[in-house]
Amino acid sequence: MCGIIGYIGDRNAAEVIVRGLKKLEYRGYDSAGIVTADGETVEIRKGAGRIDNLAERLGFLAMEGNRGIGHTRWATHGVPNDINAHPHKDCTGRIVLVHNGIIENFAELKGELLKRGHRFESDTDTEVIAHLIEEELKNSENFEEALRRALKRLKGSFALAIVYADEPDRLYVVRNESPLVLGIGEGEMFAASDVPAFLEYTKEAVFLDDGEYAVITKDSYVVKRINTGEIVEKPVHKITWTLEMAEKSGFPHFMLKEIHEQPNAVRDAIHGNREVIKSVAEEIAKYEKVIFVAMGTSYHAALVGKYLFQRLAKKVPLVEEASEFRYEFEDLVDENTLVIAITQSGETADTLAAMKLAKRKGARVLAIVNVVGSMATRIADLTLYTHAGPEIGVAATKTYTTQLTVLTMLAIETARALGSADEEYLRSLEKQLDSIPVLIEKALSHGEALKELAESLRDRRDFFYIGRGISFPTALEGALKLKEISYIHAEGLSAGELKHGPLALLERGVPVVAIAPSGKTFDKMISNIEEAKARGALIIALSDREEVGRVSDVWIEMPELDELLTPIVYVVPLQLMAYHLAVLRGNDPDKPRNLAKSVTVE
């Protein structure tokens, strides 16, 4: 969840680092800092607060030197303050580093180092690493050997960027269960937690795997294994994202920009998977036991996937939160199991842990992921990319609709492989899926009306979202979006559950958002809407049927579409309503409090 940027070359390092850190703000942070090196002289400036404020207050851009590292911190050990902000140094001040992740055995190591006379300035687990390298350097031939010896003693997850003052021509970076990627430039090198940090300088990237470190100079890089020191040959990936794709393009917030990018994102998801979807579906068709694992918005996509596979492929997959999977399914997964892991970043710690357990148990693992070269793609046996491009806003929008698109294609093709659905119907679904981008554009045309609606609802304290069948996950996702960015209490409910308890919470004026497309349970949804309306609820309904409009206070008319495809389109107005409510309430939807884009710590 923290952000790392490193640079070595001929530019002013501080300028590159500050720009890179700003590109990583979406990861969430409470403090920031940088270190630059001019020859063997190193300078550290850091503090709690936002980057813009710190840059002005601490004078980041006045720092000299052509190499350096920077960091945005999300507190895990030690409260957010100036002292606990990264970078951290050893006793000599010659070894300076930044760290993402958690060192599980830091207390044990710190106790040992204190006995050896080391002095600690912070409460972080990170500072232990700098002192441990310092200690190992006493009995090592060179710094790299000391680094490897120290790394082998660490337990936990860590990505590191390290400056050693006595080696003015290089930087060191490390990856173990926390993301780290190299940017390969001409006469300059970069390292970062994510590609947007250096995208304006280079589009060539090398993704480190767990248990690897790299030694980088301005003209070269060498990747090695931590355990053996053996050199690892790594492919160079060409990043197809443009810098403009990672910036706001005139929109006031990244989230709104990304909501409006969904027509093109869905098109890219369709076109990007047409060639590979058949072979993956044929693999899925072999397995009776199929389990989806995911977290957050990706978990809601997995629930939609369950309904799609039930209806089309006549399979009954299980859906489990990745955080619970390894505790509840450890003895249920075997070589006859297919695990489908859904993760936008490909770095979600709980999901990676679930994938690793599945692999240990002999299961086949499919990853549905957005980020090329991410850890999930390297664990998985099979990978499908969502092709959404970089998503900077913390609240998932286009990555969700592209996940749904890929899952729909996969369910259709699996049904075809199994012969479990009528071919004419499957072709009809594919034709309708191709029209989804245009239908999303129509849904986006409700923007002004939704903004006016949000104005009338800005002071409401509770929202309820209801849906049935495949619309139930849309209710969950709509409620999550509202909670994430507007800080309004919201619940997503199966509409059939209303009378079994939640109905007691409804009173006059409470908004109830009903997801009611034509389909199997449409008549039942009408009854559920009338139940809520009879208790005085304010009904806001999304539907393609006029009957819903007659029983609702606000009717958002949606296009006519097969029920199985409605989750991709119906979520868009819910995203817009959440966005406008957040802005009207004075919140920054790109940086919701207490949240981060990629949860890389369990």
Side-chain angles (χ1 to χ4, degrees):
M1 290 191 290
C2 308
I4 286 175
I5 174 72
Y7 174 77
I8 184 167
D10 294 324
R11 303 177 195 262
N12 176 269
E15 182 178 339
V16 175
I17 291 166
V18 169
R19 291 174 69 87
L21 289 179
K22 289 178 68 66
K23 297 289 195 305
L24 297 174
E25 284 187 299
Y26 66 90
R27 297 173 68 85
Y29 69 101
D30 48 56
S31 58
I34 67 178
V35 56
T36 59
D38 190 8
E40 295 185 8
T41 302
V42 296
E43 181 181 8
I44 300 172
R45 300 186 188 184
K46 61 180 184 175
R50 310 302 294 181
I51 292 168
D52 285 337
N53 294 335
L54 291 170
E56 183 176 349
R57 175 163 62 88
L58 301 178
F60 283 164
L61 296 181
M63 298 171 71
E64 297 181 351
N66 303 118
R67 65 185 173 116
I69 53 179
H71 187 265
T72 51
R73 177 179 186 251
W74 180 272
T76 55
H77 291 82
V79 298
N81 60 25
D82 292 354
I83 293 173
N84 288 330
H86 296 212
H88 291 286
K89 63 182 187 298
D90 70 331
C91 294
T92 70
R94 310 292 285 170
I95 301 168
V96 187
L97 57 81
V98 296
H99 164 227
N100 291 352
I102 292 177
I103 304 303
E104 295 173 0
N105 61 334
F106 91 98
E108 172 191 338
L109 293 171
K110 186 172 183 177
E112 175 188 319
L113 290 163
L114 284 168
K115 289 178 182 177
R116 293 178 178 271
H118 289 263
R119 303 178 309 279
F120 287 81
E121 297 179 354
S122 76
D123 300 318
T124 68
D125 54 341
T126 299
E127 191 181 354
V128 167
I129 307 170
H131 290 278
L132 186 60
I133 298 170
E134 177 192 3
E135 187 65 28
E136 294 293 349
L137 191 56
K138 296 174 183 176
N139 300 304
S140 301
E141 292 186 6
N142 53 51
F143 182 81
E144 186 176 342
E145 180 187 339
L147 173 63
R148 282 186 48 234
R149 290 174 64 169
L151 294 175
K152 286 193 274 188
R153 297 197 60 195
L154 300 180
K155 295 178 182 178
S157 63
F158 47 90
L160 304 171
I162 306 161
V163 169
Y164 180 44
D166 294 3
E167 294 184 354
D169 63 339
R170 65 190 61 192
L171 297 176
Y172 294 85
V173 295
V174 184
R175 174 188 173 127
N176 192 65
E177 299 186 1
S178 193
L180 205 292
V181 57
L182 304 182
I184 313 303
E186 291 289 335
E188 58 186 358
M189 294 287 173
F190 307 82
S193 302
D194 207 351
V195 168
F198 55 72
L199 193 57
E200 65 178 297
Y201 303 105
T202 180
K203 294 184 178 180
E204 294 195 341
V206 171
F207 292 87
L208 300 189
D209 284 307
D210 287 346
E212 293 179 347
Y213 71 97
V215 185
I216 60 176
T217 70
K218 71 174 190 175
D219 297 309
S220 67
Y221 67 93
V222 179
V223 179
K224 300 182 180 181
R225 291 193 173 92
I226 293 172
N227 284 339
T228 64
E230 176 187 358
I231 293 176
V232 183
E233 296 296 328
K234 307 290 290 187
V236 177
H237 293 267
K238 187 75 172 179
I239 303 300
T240 57
W241 304 346
T242 64
L243 181 60
E244 183 181 5
M245 290 170 67
E247 294 179 341
K248 292 179 185 176
S249 300
F251 287 92
H253 297 97
F254 282 114
M255 183 180 178
L256 187 60
K257 170 180 175 280
E258 288 155 4
I259 289 172
H260 282 266
E261 286 177 339
Q262 288 177 114
N264 285 333
V266 168
R267 285 189 189 96
D268 290 343
I270 294 170
H271 297 318
N273 284 289
R274 279 204 169 118
E275 297 298 319
V276 297
I277 207 81
K278 182 178 180 182
S279 60
V280 176
E282 288 172 349
E283 188 71 20
I284 293 175
K286 299 174 185 177
Y287 291 87
E288 285 300 317
K289 193 189 300 184
V290 178
I291 305 173
F292 286 97
V293 295
M295 296 297 293
T297 288
S298 296
Y299 175 75
H300 298 158
L303 289 173
V304 173
K306 176 179 82 79
Y307 284 102
L308 289 167
F309 274 81
Q310 285 173 183
R311 294 271 196 99
L312 295 175
K314 304 301 185 286
K315 286 185 176 291
V316 187
L318 298 170
V319 181
E320 183 61 271
E321 292 173 344
S323 60
E324 302 301 312
F325 175 82
R326 56 184 169 148
Y327 304 107
E328 299 298 330
F329 284 79
E330 186 175 10
D331 299 323
L332 302 176
V333 176
D334 54 27
E335 64 276 4
N336 297 315
T337 306
L338 176 75
V339 170
I340 302 177
I342 308 176
T343 162
Q344 184 280 135
S345 66
E347 302 288 352
T348 306
D350 289 310
T351 305
L352 295 181
M355 294 172 70
K356 290 173 182 177
L357 170 64
K359 293 279 286 185
R360 287 198 301 272
K361 294 292 183 176
R364 193 87 161 149
V365 176
L366 163 65
I368 298 177
V369 66
N370 187 41
V371 180
V372 176
S374 58
M375 193 63 204
T377 69
R378 302 197 290 276
I379 296 172
D381 301 294
L382 305 162
T383 298
L384 290 174
Y385 291 107
T386 57
H387 298 287
E391 186 176 69
I392 307 303
V394 169
T397 53
K398 64 176 180 174
T399 54
Y400 178 65
T401 48
T402 53
Q403 286 171 348
L404 298 184
T405 301
V406 173
L407 286 165
T408 303
M409 296 175 71
L410 195 56
I412 290 170
E413 203 59 54
T414 303
R416 183 171 282 134
L418 291 168
S420 57
D422 178 71
E423 177 60 29
E424 185 176 345
Y425 175 55
L426 295 179
R427 284 199 296 268
S428 170
L429 283 178
E430 288 175 326
K431 186 175 180 181
Q432 290 183 69
L433 185 63
D434 284 338
S435 73
I436 290 285
V438 173
L439 299 183
I440 293 176
E441 288 171 356
K442 289 182 179 178
L444 289 168
S445 70
H446 291 294
E448 282 304 312
L450 288 163
K451 185 176 181 180
E452 292 177 12
L453 176 61
E455 180 68 57
S456 70
L457 300 171
R458 63 190 297 178
D459 296 323
R460 305 301 168 97
R461 295 186 303 169
D462 301 285
F463 278 67
F464 294 88
Y465 290 68
I466 59 173
R468 298 186 76 124
I470 200 166
S471 294
F472 170 48
T474 305
L476 292 173
E477 178 61 14
L480 177 61
K481 283 292 146 296
L482 194 68
K483 286 183 280 193
E484 284 180 315
I485 61 174
S486 74
Y487 317 147
I488 298 171
H489 167 254
E491 290 190 39
L493 302 167
S494 173
E497 277 290 308
L498 265 181
K499 62 171 65 74
H500 295 277
L503 209 57
L505 295 171
L506 297 189
E507 55 189 34
R508 186 160 302 281
V510 171
V512 172
V513 182
I515 319 302
S518 301
K520 279 187 174 184
T521 58
F522 178 77
D523 291 338
K524 296 293 184 184
M525 271 299 297
I526 292 287
S527 297
N528 297 139
I529 290 170
E530 289 177 330
E531 285 171 351
K533 190 172 179 64
R535 273 74 182 175
L538 175 73
I539 306 298
I540 302 163
L542 282 69
S543 181
D544 57 334
R545 299 278 289 273
E546 192 174 341
E547 298 100 299
V548 173
R550 290 197 291 267
V551 297
S552 304
D553 297 290
V554 178
W555 175 32
I556 301 170
E557 186 175 2
M558 300 299 289
E560 189 174 333
L561 189 64
D562 190 285
E563 182 185 17
L564 296 186
L565 303 180
T566 57
I568 309 174
V569 180
Y570 275 54
V571 76
V572 174
L574 304 184
Q575 295 168 347
L576 283 169
M577 187 169 75
Y579 168 81
H580 288 302
L581 274 164
V583 173
L584 287 165
R585 289 165 64 89
N587 303 337
D588 184 346
D590 289 340
K591 303 182 185 75
R593 67 188 182 198
N594 303 330
L595 300 179
K597 183 66 181 172
S598 180
V599 183
T600 58
V601 176
E602 295 176 65

